[in-house]
Amino acid sequence: MTDQSKIRNFCIIAHIDHGKSTLADRIIEMTGLLTEREMQAQVLDNMDLERERGITIKSQAVRIVYKAKDGEEYIFNLIDTPGHVDFNYEVSRSLAACDGAVLVVDAAQGIEAQTLANVYMALDHDLDVIPVINKIDLPSADPERVINEIEDVIGLEAQDAPRISAKTGLNVEDVLEEIVAKIPAPSGDADAPLKALIFDSVYDPYKGVIVFCRLMDGRVKKGTPIRMMATGFKAEVVEVGYFGAGQFIPCEELTAGMVGYITASIKNVRDTRVGDTVTDDSNPCAEALPGYKKVNPMVYCGLYPADGAKYGDLRDALEKLQLNDASLFYEPETSVALGFGFRCGFLGLLHLEIIQERLEREYNLDLVTTAPSVIYKVHKTNGEVIDLTNPTNLPDPSEIEYMEEPMVNAEIMVTTEFIGAIMDLCQERRGQYGGMDYMEETRALLKYKLPLNEIIYDFFDALKSRSRGYASLDYELCGYERSELVKLDILVNREEVDALSFIVHADTAYERGRKMCEKLKEEIPRQLFEIPIQAAIGSKIIARETVKAMRKDVLAKCYGGDITRKKKLLEKQKEGKKRMRQVGNVEIPQKAFMSVLKLDDK
Amino acid sequence: MPKSACAEREKCVPLELYVHIPFCVKKCDYCDFLSGPAGTERRREYVQALLKEIQGVPPAEGYEVISVFFGGGTPSLLEAEQIRELLFCLKKKFLFSPDAEITIEANPGTLTKEKLEIYRNAGINRLSLGLQSADNRELRELGRIHTYEEFLESFFLARKAGFDNINVDLMFAVPKQTCEGWEHTLRTVAELKPEHISAYSLIIEEGTPFSERDLNLPDEETEYRMYEDTAKILGQYGYHQYEISNYAEPGRECRHNTGYWRRTEYLGLGLGASSLYQDVRFSNTSDMEEYLREDSCPDKIRRELHRLTEKEKMEEFMFLGLRMTEGIRAEDFAGCFGISLDEVYGEILRKYESGGFLEQQDGFWRFTRSGIHVSNTILAEFLF
C-alpha cells in the first residue's frame, strides 16, 4: 500500500497553445513509470501482455514516479483536462479528482480568457494552483509583466513561479519540486467506506468499460461489489490498476488518495457517468460526492448518410461511438430532402465535428450534416412547453405563445485596439454588454450575455478574424430568455427544403435569409433549368437569388473510335453528381446543407 | 481464301476498319491526338509494321467491311504508294462490300494531283480535309500550317481528281472568334458545296500548348449562339445536322462515324487505335517503340481489353446512339437486349422529356434542340 503522503494528484491548466502538452511530455520524460519496489516486482511482464493485446489508454491520466531532491520517491498522477469549452463539465470533474493544479502561462502572451476560466474553476474546487511561466526562451517573453498580471488579475503569489521552457526542458525540474512542496498530499481515509469519483471512462472490447477514478476514501480490489450512486448501476470488480504511459497496469488494490481504473464487465459507458460516485455496495458511503450532473447535449443537428442505403451502417456506427461517449445522443428522424437519418445531440460544435470526423474516417461513411441548432423552448398557447431540437418541428405560429432561447455568459479577452471591433461583433450577435475589466493597460476582459445560437455558428471565426487572432473566448450556459424567433425556410426551385430551415431572431432574419440565398447560389451548380432560391418566413418571401440555367455542355469532339475515353468523361460527370442530393428536380451538393454555418460577414 | 467464308453476303456482319497514321508536319497547338512529326525512315518503318499487323490479325470470318478510315495525324503525309499498299493489304485480308466507304484524312499543303489520283485508283472514295477556319488569322492562332488559299487549292485539286464526296473539318469557339467570324467561315465553306461538314467546338485538353496559354476564348453565351448558328446557316445551304457535330447533304452522312454511334464493330489498326470487336473493347499500345518492337503482332500490342457487360452495352447504346439527331429506337433496344427500353431507362427518359430536353417520335427517342446543347449532362445519366 502506498503512503498517501507520497502521492500528488494534479492537472495542468493553460490557455490553448500555452504549452500544456509540451510540459506534460517533459514531466513524463524526466520521471520514471515505476517505483523501485515495483520494478523488483517485475510488473513489466504484465505491461508487455497489455501491449500485445493492443490496449492503449487515452492520455486522460498517467501515473509517474519522481525521485525528489529530498531523496524520497513520489507518485504523481497527472490528470489531463479537455481544453475546450464544450467539455466544461468534464473539465470540472477532472479538476475535482485533483488536489492541485499547475497553471501554465505563456511568457509572451500572458493571461487569456481560458486561463482565467480554468483558474477560477480550479479555485472553485479548492485546488492549490502553482503558476509556471513558460516559453521564457522566446525573444518576446516578458516574464515580469506576466508575473505581475497573474498577481494583479488572479491574485496568485507568483514572484517565485518557475520560469521555464517546456520546449527545451529549462527549469522544468523546478516545477517537479514545486509540485512536491506545494500541492497537498491526499488526505482520505482508507478505512472509511469506498468513495471514488469517476472522471472518465472508455470502452474496451476485451474488458468492457474501463472506469477512470480517484479514490477519495476507502479501498477497492477484485471482487468488491460496487455501485454507481447516481445511476444505481451495480457490478463486481474484475480488475483494478493504474495508468502507465499508454498502458493499463493492473495492481492488487486501489486505496484512498490513489488515481486508477476499475473494470467490472460493464457493457456501456452510460452506466458509468462522469462525475458519478463509485461506492462499495456492501458497505456504502453515506452520501455521494457533490457536483454530479447528467450532461445534456446543447447542440443538435441531423446526420444523414449521403447514400441512403448506408442508413444501417450509420446506425451501427453511432451505436458503437456511443459506447464510448455517454454525451452523444441520437434518435432516428426523417427528412423530406434527405431521407432517413438521425437527429444527434452534442455538447457543442467541437464535439459535433469530432463525431462527424470519426464517423467519416473510422467508419468510412459519407455524411450529409444539417445546420446545427440549439434547443429552443417553445411555449404553446395550450400551456405545453416543447424542447425544440429540429427547426422543422416548430409548431404553427398560431399555436405558439412565445419562445425562449438558451443564453451564455461569455468572457472575451482582447487587446485594447480591438475592443471596438469585438464590441461591434457582440452587438451584431445580439449580445448584452455586461461590463469590462482592464487586465492591464493594453488588455481587457469583455463580458457579454449572448444567445447560444449566435455563438454556435461562425462566432469564433469572426472573433478571430476581427482581432487578428488575438481575442480569446470562454463561455458558460446561463439559462433561457424569451426571444422573438422565427423559422426561416429555404425554397429551392419553389420547393421547401426542410433540411435547410433554421431558427433565427426576427431582427436578423432578413439579413440571414439574404446571405443564405447568396451562399446557396454559390454552392448549387448550374443545372439544366433556372433555379430560384428563396428565403421565406411563413408564406412571405424575404430574399431571392437565381442559379442560371446551364447553357452549353456538349462533348463535341469525336476522339476517333475511342469510346472508352468518352465514357470516362461521362463517368467523371456522373461521379460529381453522386456528391449531390436530389431534392425535387434539383441536385444540391452535400456541403450546401451546412451553408448556414458560413454566413460570415467578411 | 478467306473471302469465301462469307458465302451469303446478306448474312455477313458489317465491320469497319480504322487505320491510324500518327504523323503530321507539325502538331497544332490544341491537338492532343496521338501524332507528331517524323522522318521518312520512321514513316517507312511504321508502314511496314502496320502491314505486319494487318497480316497478323486473325481472319474475320463472317464479316464484311463496309468502311475504311485512314485517320491521324495527317495520313496524306505518307507517300501515296504507301497508302495504296496498306489498302491493298486490307483488301487481301478482309472481305469488302462493293460500295464500302473509304475515307482518307488530308491536310491542305500535303496533297498533290498525283497523290489524289493514286488514292482514287486505289479505291479511296471519300476525302476529309482539315480546314478549321476560313480566316487566316484564326488559322495562325490555332497553330495550323496552311492558309485558306492553300485549302482552296487542295479542294479543287481533289474535285478535279474525281472526289465527289468531300468532308471539311471546321472548328468553332476558337480564341478571339466572334459569331460574325464563325458565320463567315461557315458561309465561305458552304458555298464551295462540300458534301459533308464537321464542326467541332474547340476543347482545351490538358498537356496541349493551349492549356497553358491565356486564351481569349468566346464566352458560353457566344459558344451557344455559334452552335445554334451552325445548324441554321448550314441548313440554308442544304446541309442537315445528323449528329452532334456533323452536317451533310442528304445521303452523304459519314457511314464510318455513324458506325461508331450505332455500335457497329470496328477494328483499329496502327498505333493507339481502338477497336470494338466481338463485344470486346481494346486499344493498341500508344508507345511507338513498343509497337515497332513487338513486330505489331496483334496479340502483343493490344491493351486494356475489356469485355463489355450487358449493362455497359446498354449504356453505350444510349450515350452513343443519342448523339445522332435521329435518336435511338426503342424497338432496336429491345431487339438488342431482350428488355424494353422503358423498363431500363424509362424514368430518366421521361424526366428529361418533361423538361423539354428529349422527345419521342415514331418510336425514336431523340434530343430536342435545347437538349442537344446540354447533351453531355444528360448522356451521363444513362450510366449505371
Side-chain angles (χ1 to χ4, degrees):
Chain A
M1 190 183 123
T2 312
D3 176 2
Q4 275 195 71
S5 68
K6 297 290 186 296
I7 296 178
R8 297 294 181 271
N9 297 321
F10 67 99
C11 57
I12 303 175
I13 53 181
H15 186 74
I16 188 161
D17 287 337
H18 280 198
K20 184 171 92 166
S21 311
T22 318
L23 178 60
D25 288 349
R26 207 60 65 226
I27 290 175
I28 291 168
E29 242 173 62
M30 293 174 68
T31 53
L33 285 172
L34 300 167
T35 61
E36 279 173 18
R37 190 169 59 85
E38 285 163 346
M39 292 271 204
Q40 285 157 11
Q42 288 186 321
V43 186
L44 273 170
D45 285 348
N46 270 327
M47 285 171 55
D48 285 343
L49 184 68
E50 299 295 338
R51 218 177 271 135
E52 273 163 31
R53 282 167 59 175
I55 302 165
T56 48
I57 59 170
K58 294 196 280 181
S59 58
Q60 260 68 0
V62 63
R63 191 191 92 141
I64 48 189
V65 178
Y66 174 60
K67 188 152 192 179
K69 287 181 178 158
D70 62 12
E72 298 282 342
E73 274 187 337
Y74 289 87
I75 286 173
F76 286 0
N77 288 302
L78 170 53
I79 295 171
D80 195 18
T81 55
H84 193 274
V85 63
D86 278 7
F87 303 106
N88 258 343
Y89 174 70
E90 281 76 1
V91 176
S92 84
R93 294 305 85 200
S94 292
L95 293 176
C98 298
D99 302 303
V102 174
L103 168 68
V104 180
V105 184
D106 184 307
Q109 296 189 4
I111 294 173
E112 297 284 357
Q114 276 176 19
T115 319
L116 274 190
N118 287 331
V119 168
Y120 290 141
M121 205 189 279
L123 295 174
D124 279 351
H125 286 92
D126 291 328
L127 298 192
D128 285 280
V129 178
I130 311 173
V132 170
I133 314 299
N134 190 22
K135 303 197 189 179
I136 60 158
D137 53 325
L138 287 183
S140 55
D142 188 355
E144 293 309 321
R145 179 182 67 88
V146 173
I147 283 167
N148 288 332
E149 201 174 79
I150 294 172
E151 298 202 327
D152 295 348
V153 178
I154 307 175
L156 276 179
E157 167 70 40
Q159 290 308 325
D160 300 332
R163 299 163 192 211
I164 68 161
S165 165
K167 201 172 100 192
T168 65
L170 177 70
N171 298 337
V172 173
E173 198 163 357
D174 295 351
V175 180
L176 299 173
E177 287 297 319
E178 287 272 297
I179 291 167
V180 171
K182 297 199 173 155
I183 289 179
S187 55
D189 179 358
D191 298 320
L194 174 64
K195 187 190 253 185
L197 172 70
I198 302 179
F199 62 89
D200 200 0
S201 59
V202 297
Y203 180 81
D204 176 272
Y206 298 101
K207 300 186 176 196
V209 178
I210 300 175
V211 185
F212 292 25
C213 55
R214 154 77 194 268
L215 271 72
M216 298 303 178
D217 291 320
R219 54 187 72 228
V220 62
K221 60 181 179 188
K222 184 176 173 178
T224 307
I226 52 168
R227 173 156 60 94
M228 313 297 166
M229 297 182 74
T231 64
F233 182 82
K234 291 177 189 180
E236 194 179 288
V237 173
V238 173
E239 183 181 301
V240 298
Y242 49 86
F243 309 106
Q247 294 93 25
F248 293 104
I249 301 172
C251 65
E252 272 297 302
E253 184 180 56
L254 294 175
T255 55
M258 292 173 86
V259 171
Y261 70 89
I262 299 172
T263 72
S265 300
I266 304 166
K267 296 282 179 293
N268 198 316
V269 286
R270 315 204 126 228
D271 297 321
T272 59
R273 299 275 182 172
V274 167
D276 202 350
T277 305
V278 185
T279 192
D280 186 335
D281 194 38
S282 60
N283 179 23
C285 56
E287 55 187 23
L289 291 157
Y292 170 78
K293 65 176 184 187
K294 186 166 179 273
V295 283
N296 289 312
M298 300 225 292
V299 177
Y300 283 78
C301 78
L303 287 183
Y304 291 81
D307 172 3
K310 295 279 174 70
Y311 174 80
D313 294 1
L314 176 58
R315 187 192 50 221
D316 293 349
L318 283 168
E319 226 166 68
K320 281 193 188 126
L321 284 183
Q322 205 182 41
L323 280 180
N324 238 334
D325 187 343
S327 44
L328 170 66
F329 166 88
Y330 67 92
E331 68 182 11
E333 73 169 7
T334 337
S335 150
V336 179
L338 298 173
F340 291 104
F342 295 91
R343 175 101 333 213
C344 301
F346 307 92
L347 297 176
L349 222 49
L350 179 78
H351 188 209
L352 185 160
E353 279 165 25
I354 292 171
I355 296 292
Q356 193 188 346
E357 196 170 310
R358 290 190 65 188
L359 287 168
E360 288 184 339
R361 275 213 204 143
E362 296 171 29
Y363 296 91
N364 208 13
L365 288 163
D366 203 359
L367 297 176
V368 183
T369 315
T370 67
S373 169
V374 300
I375 308 163
Y376 298 96
K377 287 198 184 299
V378 183
H379 295 259
K380 293 175 68 175
T381 44
N382 65 6
E384 199 186 331
V385 183
I386 307 175
D387 281 343
L388 183 77
T389 59
N390 182 351
T392 314
N393 300 335
L394 186 70
D396 189 84
S398 63
E399 294 173 31
I400 301 173
E401 176 87 42
Y402 66 95
M403 285 170 71
E404 287 180 310
E405 65 179 328
M407 304 296 289
V408 299
N409 281 325
E411 291 186 331
I412 301 162
M413 178 90 65
V414 65
T415 45
T416 42
E417 57 182 314
F418 299 114
I419 288 178
I422 299 306
M423 288 178 82
D424 285 347
L425 174 66
C426 293
Q427 220 66 46
E428 286 163 26
R429 302 302 172 95
R430 302 188 280 131
Q432 301 158 29
Y433 179 68
M436 176 164 63
D437 296 333
Y438 274 89
M439 297 290 105
E440 53 189 318
E441 260 171 47
T442 57
R443 276 175 355 127
L445 184 73
L446 280 168
K447 292 177 183 170
Y448 271 93
K449 190 171 192 183
L450 284 153
L452 179 62
N453 99 341
E454 298 286 348
I455 289 197
I456 60 165
Y457 294 150
D458 55 357
F459 186 79
F460 199 65
D461 290 341
L463 191 69
K464 287 287 176 194
S465 78
R466 294 202 194 181
S467 65
R468 279 191 233 131
Y470 284 118
S472 56
L473 165 76
D474 191 78
Y475 63 84
E476 63 178 359
L477 215 55
C478 64
Y480 277 75
E481 270 185 19
R482 189 169 168 161
S483 179
E484 280 307 310
L485 299 163
V486 292
K487 178 158 79 96
L488 197 64
D489 293 320
I490 300 294
L491 288 79
V492 176
N493 204 21
R494 296 181 184 84
E495 264 186 62
E496 189 183 313
V497 182
D498 58 356
L500 287 171
S501 295
F502 58 103
I503 306 272
V504 64
H505 191 264
D507 290 349
T508 53
Y510 179 81
E511 178 78 359
R512 288 281 175 98
R514 191 177 55 76
K515 283 185 182 162
M516 186 73 180
C517 289
E518 281 170 12
K519 187 77 198 167
L520 286 169
K521 185 190 173 182
E522 281 170 35
E523 299 271 2
I524 298 176
R526 292 191 305 161
Q527 290 167 38
L528 298 183
F529 41 87
E530 193 174 277
I531 305 165
I533 298 171
Q534 296 160 303
I537 299 170
S539 57
K540 191 178 157 214
I541 304 291
I542 59 162
R544 176 186 165 130
E545 291 283 339
T546 306
V547 178
K548 289 220 169 70
M550 185 199 301
R551 290 286 273 165
K552 194 162 187 310
D553 182 19
V554 183
L555 200 57
K557 213 168 160 181
C558 114
Y559 299 120
D562 193 352
I563 304 306
T564 312
R565 179 165 172 189
K566 191 179 287 293
K567 188 175 164 185
K568 272 183 191 150
L569 289 169
L570 291 175
E571 270 167 351
K572 216 166 140 191
Q573 188 142 4
K574 176 119 184 167
E575 203 51 41
K577 281 196 152 192
K578 274 194 188 153
R579 282 186 288 275
M580 311 246 224
R581 290 305 288 229
Q582 179 96 26
V583 178
N585 274 330
V586 184
E587 316 260 349
I588 303 182
Q590 289 167 28
K591 62 177 179 158
F593 292 97
M594 288 287 268
S595 292
V596 68
L597 282 182
K598 293 167 200 126
L599 305 179
D600 201 358
D601 314 282
K602 309 265 153 137
Chain B
M1 271 291 276
K3 291 189 185 185
S4 64
C6 206
E8 289 170 89
R9 173 150 282 160
E10 55 274 21
K11 284 196 181 163
C12 282
V13 179
L15 179 68
E16 306 194 319
L17 300 174
Y18 175 81
V19 183
H20 191 63
I21 310 298
F23 306 119
C24 47
V25 177
K26 171 192 162 284
K27 215 168 158 67
C28 301
D29 292 355
Y30 55 85
C31 172
D32 77 329
F33 285 122
L34 187 54
S35 177
T40 326
E41 182 52 29
R42 174 45 61 99
R43 300 203 296 250
R44 196 194 57 75
E45 271 182 284
Y46 180 74
V47 172
Q48 288 312 308
L50 196 46
L51 288 167
K52 268 193 207 159
E53 184 192 350
I54 296 168
Q55 283 153 7
V57 171
E61 285 178 24
Y63 284 93
E64 180 191 58
V65 171
I66 57 156
S67 76
V68 180
F69 198 100
F70 288 93
T74 305
S76 56
L77 193 61
L78 291 185
E79 300 299 326
E81 279 305 324
Q82 292 175 310
I83 294 292
R84 189 167 68 170
E85 208 181 341
L86 286 166
L87 192 50
F88 183 72
C89 184
L90 289 173
K91 284 185 167 172
K92 236 173 36 183
K93 181 84 196 180
F94 300 97
L95 170 68
F96 270 56
S97 158
D99 61 346
E101 175 193 272
I102 304 177
T103 309
I104 185 162
E105 278 188 317
N107 270 326
T110 58
L111 288 173
T112 60
K113 184 167 166 280
E114 293 70 30
K115 257 189 193 170
L116 288 161
E117 276 164 3
I118 296 172
Y119 290 166
R120 284 300 298 175
N121 291 335
I124 292 175
N125 52 24
R126 190 171 180 273
L127 190 69
S128 176
L129 284 169
L131 169 62
Q132 317 311 347
S133 171
D135 178 338
N136 284 332
R137 191 196 53 78
E138 283 176 10
L139 289 174
R140 272 196 307 278
E141 198 80 44
L142 291 168
R144 302 285 294 178
I145 54 158
H146 57 84
T147 60
Y148 177 65
E149 291 69 29
E150 285 168 302
F151 159 79
L152 275 184
E153 203 186 315
S154 297
F155 184 80
F156 290 121
L157 274 179
R159 283 293 195 222
K160 253 184 224 161
F163 279 96
D164 60 358
N165 193 2
I166 299 180
N167 165 58
V168 179
D169 272 347
L170 298 177
M171 192 177 272
F172 66 99
V174 304
K176 300 181 193 159
Q177 195 177 38
T178 59
C179 285
E180 292 68 33
W182 174 235
E183 179 168 351
H184 166 75
T185 289
L186 285 171
R187 291 192 186 278
T188 310
V189 173
E191 269 159 26
L192 294 173
K193 300 192 188 335
E195 285 67 31
H196 189 285
I197 293 174
S198 295
Y200 300 111
S201 65
L202 172 66
I203 291 174
I204 308 301
E205 301 285 354
E206 256 178 67
T208 60
F210 263 22
S211 69
E212 278 147 34
R213 260 181 235 166
D214 189 14
L215 300 168
N216 191 353
L217 293 169
D219 61 19
E220 192 184 22
E221 208 48 47
T222 311
E223 204 181 328
Y224 180 93
R225 252 190 70 195
M226 287 177 172
Y227 190 63
E228 273 301 277
D229 288 351
T230 310
K232 201 176 73 198
I233 292 167
L234 292 181
Q236 294 164 5
Y237 291 86
Y239 298 93
H240 74 280
Q241 181 175 14
Y242 69 94
E243 193 262 351
I244 283 180
S245 319
N246 287 292
Y247 306 79
E249 290 180 348
R252 296 297 194 148
E253 298 83 5
C254 173
R255 259 195 266 161
H256 187 85
N257 271 335
T258 305
Y260 289 151
W261 315 134
R262 291 288 179 226
R263 304 193 65 251
T264 307
E265 290 180 63
Y266 58 98
L267 275 176
L269 303 155
L271 190 69
S274 311
S275 304
L276 168 63
Y277 191 59
Q278 294 173 345
D279 284 341
V280 181
R281 287 203 180 272
F282 55 89
S283 325
N284 285 349
T285 174
S286 343
D287 180 337
M288 177 67 94
E289 298 309 322
E290 191 174 36
Y291 182 77
L292 298 175
R293 191 173 62 236
E294 298 295 349
D295 262 353
S296 56
C297 169
D299 286 345
K300 293 185 185 160
I301 57 167
R302 289 181 180 174
R303 301 281 176 272
E304 297 165 38
L305 272 84
H306 178 70
R307 179 167 294 279
L308 297 172
T309 63
E310 207 60 10
K311 282 196 163 178
E312 286 169 328
K313 286 188 231 169
M314 290 181 191
E315 294 174 341
E316 290 190 358
F317 184 97
M318 301 304 284
F319 80 75
L320 296 175
L322 282 169
R323 291 184 66 94
M324 308 290 294
T325 50
E326 173 190 58
I328 51 135
R329 220 152 67 114
E331 201 178 294
D332 292 343
F333 186 93
C336 278
F337 303 111
I339 181 170
S340 80
L341 176 64
D342 196 64
E343 198 167 320
V344 183
Y345 287 121
E347 198 180 319
I348 301 170
L349 288 167
R350 268 186 296 280
K351 171 175 151 195
Y352 288 105
E353 184 185 32
S354 68
F357 301 104
L358 288 173
E359 61 186 12
Q360 335 179 38
Q361 209 179 357
D362 309 327
F364 280 85
W365 277 95
R366 64 173 68 106
F367 277 120
T368 60
R369 202 59 216 165
S370 52
I372 205 164
H373 283 282
V374 290
S375 51
N376 214 29
T377 311
I378 298 169
L379 292 176
E381 291 272 319
F382 293 101
L383 303 191
F384 290 105

